[in-house]
Amino acid sequence: MSLWGAGCLAAAIAISTGCSNAADQGSSGAERTAQPSATPAAATAAAPEAAVPTPSATAAPAVKSVSLIPEVREYSGSGSGYELDGVNVQANYSADQTLPLGVFLPETMIRFEQDGRTAWGTADKHNYITLIKLSSEKGATGGRFEPGIDPGLLKFKEYEGSSVEGNRRVEAFIFTAHEDSYRAEIHIQDEQRDKLLPLFTSMLSGMEYMEKQPPIKPGIFFKVPDVGSSPGNKQALQETLDCIAAWSAGDKEKFAKAMIDPKLGEALQFLLDHKNIYRFHKLTVVGIPVEGTKRAAFLVEFTKMTSEGYITDSNNEISLLLNKQGEWKIANID
């Protein structure tokens, strides 16, 4: 998934005008009307033209033809974004705290707990999305949701219906992910419907799957490589080890001290800023110095677990240069 969308998220959401995947199917707010049913051919032939019934709010909805959640893909570690009120807003993967699912949450919204479930929504917690695995729902009763009348939702194959919840309406959708059935619920106030329903439906359409994994143990778990007896080589190795130790511990001050330039330390702080867990398992000498250059380099290999539980194996080359005092200092981590 690219930064500005994947799947349904690729369609930008213009909140100020109510445009979205849902809005493309019909207004999801003030213009809510019933979807008229098709008149059977036999009835049309038997009845005079003047007797053709007028569509009403109780008419059966049209055949559902649009998938809100066509496929729940495996999370790949990427990010996404939305266009809100003409401004590009970053969205990061936010995992359900109990289910193997997550949505791309705009940085303008929050994740919180609501009625024992993970919820994603507005900072005031009045408008939000929740998910539930149907086979594990306790106290579920049939007929909770009545047929909906919003034409922007009626066309979705997953749409189950709606219900009233205090000063909010709950819109429900049934979908399948990795052979399990789930229900997604949009809890939304009427006055926020036009503004937020397009965003919430796009968040659901871009949902991704990620199995929960046990936390990895952070730290350094490699054998220190042999760099010979040269004092310069040993100092380069020690500087690299200090840098990795600070990186693993998230110690910004010690991490910055290993850098050849304070500005470099600031530029590389992102390695420590995202609450990731690192387990370093191999360090290899590339060269002290690397042949044909004036820099030294080590290759460090590690396993990383993000704050959302996504685990990857990766590596970085740590480059060093000599400072004015003749000491090797970190010049880049790439």
Side-chain angles (χ1 to χ4, degrees), residues 193-245:
R193 193 176 183 89
D194 287 346
K195 180 178 181 180
L196 294 177
L197 188 59
L199 173 60
F200 284 158
T201 53
S202 285
M203 288 169 64
L204 289 179
S205 71
M207 191 163 22
E208 294 195 353
Y209 187 92
M210 184 178 70
E211 288 280 2
K212 297 290 183 291
Q213 301 292 334
I216 64 174
K217 185 176 181 180
I220 297 174
F221 298 87
F222 56 72
K223 181 180 179 180
V224 176
D226 183 10
V227 294
S229 58
S230 165
N233 287 13
K234 290 184 176 181
Q235 188 268 321
L237 173 62
Q238 188 59 54
E239 202 71 34
T240 302
L241 293 174
D242 290 346
C243 172
I244 295 173

Side-chain angles (χ1 to χ4, degrees), residues 9-305:
L9 291 181
I13 305 164
I15 293 301
S16 60
T17 59
C19 296
S20 75
N21 185 21
D24 288 343
Q25 309 309 317
S27 172
S28 58
E31 297 180 14
R32 282 183 293 161
T33 57
Q35 187 73 18
S37 62
T39 303
T44 302
E49 293 184 6
V52 175
T54 301
S56 67
T58 58
V63 176
K64 297 179 179 181
S65 59
V66 178
S67 288
L68 175 64
I69 309 169
E71 180 184 4
V72 180
R73 301 174 180 175
E74 289 274 359
Y75 176 56
S76 63
S78 62
S80 187
Y82 303 94
E83 184 177 307
L84 307 179
D85 295 327
V87 178
N88 290 332
V89 177
Q90 182 178 350
N92 294 314
Y93 187 78
S94 180
D96 191 292
Q97 299 302 280
T98 58
L99 302 176
L101 296 168
V103 302
F104 286 91
L105 183 68
E107 59 186 8
T108 54
M109 291 188 171
I110 63 170
R111 179 178 61 194
F112 55 96
E113 183 177 310
Q114 182 70 32
D115 300 325
R117 303 186 208 172
T118 299
W120 302 272
T122 54
D124 60 12
K125 302 181 181 180
H126 291 163
N127 300 275
Y128 53 88
I129 293 171
T130 59
L131 303 173
I132 188 165
K133 187 175 180 179
L134 294 181
S135 61
S136 65
E137 182 175 10
K138 297 180 180 178
T141 57
R144 173 185 171 189
F145 297 98
E146 300 177 353
I149 61 172
D150 189 321
L153 301 180
L154 287 173
K155 293 187 178 182
F156 289 131
K157 296 177 181 178
E158 299 87 349
Y159 188 44
E160 181 182 13
S162 65
S163 66
V164 177
E165 175 190 77
N167 66 341
R168 288 186 291 262
R169 180 164 288 278
V170 182
E171 305 290 0
F173 307 84
I174 302 296
F175 66 97
T176 300
H178 287 237
E179 300 183 354
D180 288 318
S181 294
Y182 298 87
R183 183 172 70 235
E185 296 178 3
I186 295 176
H187 302 246
I188 194 165
Q189 296 172 313
D190 284 344
E191 60 269 26
Q192 295 295 322
R193 193 176 183 89
D194 287 346
K195 180 178 181 180
L196 294 177
L197 188 59
L199 173 60
F200 284 158
T201 53
S202 285
M203 288 169 64
L204 289 179
S205 71
M207 191 163 22
E208 294 195 353
Y209 187 92
M210 184 178 70
E211 288 280 2
K212 297 290 183 291
Q213 301 292 334
I216 64 174
K217 185 176 181 180
I220 297 174
F221 298 87
F222 56 72
K223 181 180 179 180
V224 176
D226 183 10
V227 294
S229 58
S230 165
N233 287 13
K234 290 184 176 181
Q235 188 268 321
L237 173 62
Q238 188 59 54
E239 202 71 34
T240 302
L241 293 174
D242 290 346
C243 172
I244 295 173
W247 185 354
S248 175
D251 190 322
K252 295 182 179 182
E253 185 176 349
K254 289 184 178 179
F255 186 77
K257 286 183 178 179
M259 303 297 146
I260 196 167
D261 188 315
K263 292 182 179 180
L264 176 63
E266 295 175 6
L268 295 176
Q269 285 295 318
F270 72 91
L271 293 171
L272 287 67
D273 284 344
H274 297 296
K275 300 180 181 178
N276 297 325
I277 297 173
Y278 294 91
R279 180 184 177 90
F280 296 93
H281 52 77
K282 188 175 182 179
L283 184 66
T284 305
V285 181
V286 178
I288 313 174
V290 177
E291 186 176 355
T293 74
K294 295 182 178 181
R295 67 182 182 90
F298 294 82
L299 183 69
V300 62
E301 299 176 45
F302 55 86
T303 299
K304 179 179 75 173
M305 187 174 199

Side-chain angles (χ1 to χ4, degrees), residues 313-329:
D313 288 315
S314 189
N315 63 77
N316 283 109
E317 185 173 275
I318 301 176
S319 296
L320 303 91
L321 291 174
L322 291 170
N323 63 12
K324 294 179 180 179
Q325 290 74 39
E327 298 174 321
W328 290 105
K329 304 292 288 185

